[in-house]
Amino acid sequence: MTTTAALSLGLSDRTVFVAGGGSAGPGWSIGRAACVTYARLGARVCVADRDRTSAEETTQIIRSEGGTVDTFVGDIANEDDVVRMFAEAKARFGVIDVLHRNVGIGKTGGPLDTKLEDFDLAQSVNVRSLLLASRQVLPDMIEQGRGSIITISSVAGLRYLGYPHLSYCVTKAAVIQFTRMLAQQYAANGIRANTVVPGLIDTPRIANTVAKMFSETSLDEARAARAKQVPLGRMGTAWDIANACAFLASDAAAYVTGTELVVDGGLTGKFA
Ligand SMILES: NC(=O)c1ccc[n+]([C@@H]2O[C@H](COP(=O)([O-])OP(=O)(O)OC[C@H]3O[C@@H](n4cnc5c(N)ncnc54)[C@H](O)[C@@H]3O)[C@@H](O)[C@H]2O)c1
């Protein structure tokens, strides 16, 4: 019988493409923390984002630590941009071994007050972009006989969290099922596909999106109210999610596919 001596998260011979590797504001988004974590584990990292300045910031952090990295700029929901970004990334670093589809958007609102264009945009950015991006990596992964695709959903894709966020919740649920489909179809090719399901995470984007659902008056009050909901007593950090992604990217997760890794401090268990 073969035995493995220790857990290995090393990614030193791998190229990782992170779609949404910048940050919606100053500080640590999930995408930025994931890029830095992959690089610290030895991966070559493609930081892709539509916001060049923010992507460059992530790239500079990795460069300053001696990592191998480059920036690729474009809209992950635009087919021409996607084809170009992946072509540039492959020309720079070769085959993509790990696709981390990080981007997720959505405006708060229910069926009566969600604008159709906002609903369509969430579908396009959160779901259709998965189709575009996975088409760019699957042929090489099939040829190599290995690959890992990591998608990011949300507990909002599993449960009602107390306020209407329809376009976001519906598309985050679709991300999970899309990923399960990928996993089943390509398991025989050695390709794994899994979804990380973050809970309430303290990233810069919450100031622009859901904070107002927790307090009309102050961001600190909103952050405290959000933290109070979580059984572990705090919001998650971008690093809590990045660590889960690193596990799924690595060979330590060699037998993990077609599933969801919920990283939520116990939140969804409260509503089970
Ligand atoms: N922060 C939370 O509480 C939380 C909770 C659950 C799930 N999530 C999910 O985690 C993921 C990452 O969240 P975050 O807070 O790190 O994100 P973020 O909002 O900071 O976004 C990361 C990057 O995505 C880029 N981006 C947005 N639309 C893009 C597009 N069309 N093309 C290319 N780049 C685009 C932004 O420019 C930004 O730099 C998202 O899918 C989000 O839905 C976040």
Side-chain angles (χ1 to χ4, degrees):
M1 189 173 85
T2 314
T3 56
T4 306
L7 181 71
S8 169
L9 295 177
L11 296 172
S12 58
D13 57 344
R14 309 289 158 92
T15 297
V16 184
F17 187 104
V18 180
S23 177
W28 290 99
S29 68
I30 290 168
R32 176 168 291 159
C35 286
V36 170
T37 301
Y38 294 134
R40 286 177 182 167
L41 291 167
R44 299 173 285 266
V45 180
C46 307
V47 181
D49 205 288
R50 66 176 175 192
D51 178 343
R52 178 183 294 278
T53 308
S54 185
E56 283 291 356
E57 207 175 307
T58 305
T59 296
Q60 285 312 327
I61 294 167
I62 294 173
R63 278 213 182 107
S64 72
E65 296 184 356
T68 306
V69 62
D70 215 338
T71 304
F72 303 90
V73 179
D75 180 349
I76 195 68
N78 177 294
E79 187 171 13
D80 291 342
D81 281 9
V82 171
V83 170
R84 176 185 47 75
M85 282 192 290
F86 278 91
E88 289 170 357
K90 283 189 237 178
R92 177 83 171 82
F93 293 128
V95 168
I96 308 296
D97 301 289
V98 179
L99 168 65
H100 170 144
R101 220 304 311 267
N102 186 67
V103 173
I105 63 160
K107 289 198 176 153
T108 52
L112 296 179
D113 55 350
T114 297
K115 290 185 189 150
L116 281 180
E117 58 264 36
D118 288 337
F119 195 84
D120 290 344
L121 184 65
Q123 205 281 339
S124 177
V125 172
N126 297 356
V127 186
R128 187 171 170 276
S129 73
L130 255 177
L131 182 64
L132 297 178
S134 52
R135 283 179 176 173
Q136 298 304 309
V137 297
L138 282 167
D140 286 337
M141 289 180 174
I142 291 167
E143 201 177 314
Q144 289 209 120
R146 73 162 198 218
S148 172
I149 297 176
I150 299 161
T151 61
I152 309 294
S153 177
S154 165
V155 289
L158 300 174
R159 300 281 191 277
Y160 183 70
L161 294 182
Y163 57 88
H165 204 179
L166 189 68
S167 61
Y168 187 73
C169 297
V170 167
T171 53
K172 287 298 187 181
V175 166
I176 291 174
Q177 189 66 354
F178 189 110
T179 312
R180 289 178 183 165
M181 296 297 100
L182 280 179
Q184 292 304 322
Q185 187 171 351
Y186 295 104
N189 300 96
I191 300 167
R192 298 182 296 104
N194 295 287
T195 304
V196 173
V197 183
L200 306 178
I201 312 303
D202 197 4
T203 63
R205 84 196 298 259
I206 65 165
N208 316 327
T209 55
V210 296
K212 63 180 179 297
M213 293 304 181
F214 293 85
S215 166
E216 290 289 345
T217 47
S218 110
L219 182 56
D220 281 347
E221 229 176 76
R223 291 176 67 243
R226 240 180 151 224
K228 215 169 137 191
Q229 295 200 346
V230 183
L232 279 183
R234 65 168 176 90
M235 282 190 279
T237 69
W239 302 102
D240 289 323
I241 308 306
N243 288 339
C245 296
F247 166 68
L248 291 173
S250 76
D251 289 345
Y255 202 56
V256 182
T257 197
T259 195
E260 295 82 53
L261 180 45
V262 179
V263 186
D264 72 347
L267 185 69
T268 46
K270 271 173 65 168
F271 307 114

